[in-house]
Amino acid sequence: MRVGTVRGRPAVLSGNRALDIALASDGRFPADMAALFERWDELAEWADSRGLDDAVPFTPQELGAPFLRPSQVFAIGLNYRDHASESGVAAPDAPPVFTKFPTCLTGPYDVVALPSPGVDWEVELVAVIGRRAEHVREQDAWSHVAGLTVGQDLSERSVQLAGPVPQFSLGKSYPGFGPIGPAIVTPDELQNPDDLALSCRVGDDILQQGRTKDMIFSVPELIARLSAVCPLLPGDLVFTGTPHGVGMARTPPRYLTPDTILISSIEGIGEIRNPLTAGAGYPAQQR
Ligand code: ZN
């Protein structure tokens, strides 16, 4: 099952067609994604038995973020060896965890205003929690995941690195710094949810390419480790880290520029396309 938000309403998606869940179910299911997470298995069963024959076409621009109100957004740093290495640090023996404050979340086709010329890209697999997870064992973790989606962990590097210790959470939480989508895809839709190709590019210029099997801490291991401390709640997001190829690690460093489109994609899930513009703080002479 692929579930997204079309014109602000939860819908089951198939290609470029959408079935409005509340309308098509005659109100059996509400037009409220948070409530749907509580009945996810029932929803999948309904969608499967009902079929999508009467789904109607939508345009990509009508797609919003699949979910905008998570209680918690976890993000993992340095979860790929080649990215740790390009960052000049050893591969971690425990996952570095920070948050992206939820006000940074935005839709898969939304415009993102760059606050400065120092904004970097990080394509990431994002796990959406479907069931409360507390002290979950690794082998039980996938059953607590509603689905997977594509995310960008956009990062303003000067804020991230300002001060006596890095400010990961702040530098990664400007408005628009957490585009997600195009849909929440249930793990059973994917041939191998533990091994998905992911990449990001600007135009034809490929910036990052990797595979999620190369994560140091897999989705199940992250859920086990996070839920050993914080209960994970339905709708919570876990940004699982980025492979190598970020702009900060290049010589010279390279960052995102206005009037381009950042395209991020993950095998079997889809792609998100975010046009970039110069925000209010972006120096006029560098536009
Ligand atoms: Zn990241």
Side-chain angles (χ1 to χ4, degrees), residues 75-78 83 98 100 122-124 153 155 172 239-242:
I76 310 302
L78 307 170
H83 174 57
F98 55 93
K100 288 173 78 71
E122 293 190 356
V123 63
E124 305 199 2
D153 176 20
S155 306
K172 291 164 172 276
F239 282 71
T240 58
T242 201

Side-chain angles (χ1 to χ4, degrees), residues 20 43 70 113 116 178 189 268:
D20 185 296
L43 176 66
S116 81
E189 292 269 321

